[in-house]
Amino acid sequence: MMIRGSCHCGAVRFEYPGRPQWLNRCNCSYCRRAGTLWAYAETQQITLTFEAGATIRYIWGDKTLAFHSCRTCGCTTHWENLDPSPAARMAVNCALAEPAEIAGLRIRHFDGAETWTWLD
């Protein structure tokens, strides 16, 4: 089973292998505004499909990751780890998947705004 998602206009697509144990809803200043539901995996496990220049990268804070949003429709599709290590992880925004593809997955809440701890 695979989770597939895309931005609203379809210019940026992702495929996540299998089903994650949970999806993460973070309340940090970026994620709460973007309305994301993150699924994490090692970078090489996730397939991203988009043309060069189709996304806008946004790097802030401690500069360890870059959020990607579609240049056309604005949807935040994924973030990339700026650490070049082979075990680097990334995340895709499963709020952009069809509801049936993520149905039944647990949603965990993470306090990225203050304590950096799970709230559940």
Side-chain angles (χ1 to χ4, degrees), residues 57-118:
R57 291 174 74 209
Y58 179 60
I59 303 168
W60 67 283
D62 60 7
K63 304 200 182 340
T64 60
L65 55 86
F67 292 98
H68 284 255
S69 298
C70 175
R71 184 175 296 278
T72 301
C73 68
C75 292
T76 298
T77 54
H78 63 286
W79 61 253
E80 69 174 306
N81 193 326
L82 298 178
D83 173 4
S85 73
R89 295 173 60 78
M90 67 173 297
V92 292
N93 182 5
C94 285
L96 304 178
E98 291 298 321
E101 292 205 23
I102 61 171
L105 286 173
R106 178 181 176 199
I107 297 176
R108 295 194 69 192
H109 296 269
F110 185 76
D111 184 9
E114 293 185 30
T115 66
W116 280 79
T117 59
W118 293 103

Side-chain angles (χ1 to χ4, degrees), residues 4-31:
R4 291 175 178 85
S6 72
C7 63
H8 191 258
C9 72
V12 183
R13 300 180 177 281
F14 66 81
E15 292 182 348
Y16 181 93
R19 288 178 64 80
Q21 289 184 327
W22 68 80
L23 299 175
N24 175 16
R25 177 153 332 263
C26 177
N27 68 353
C28 78
S29 59
Y30 187 87
C31 293

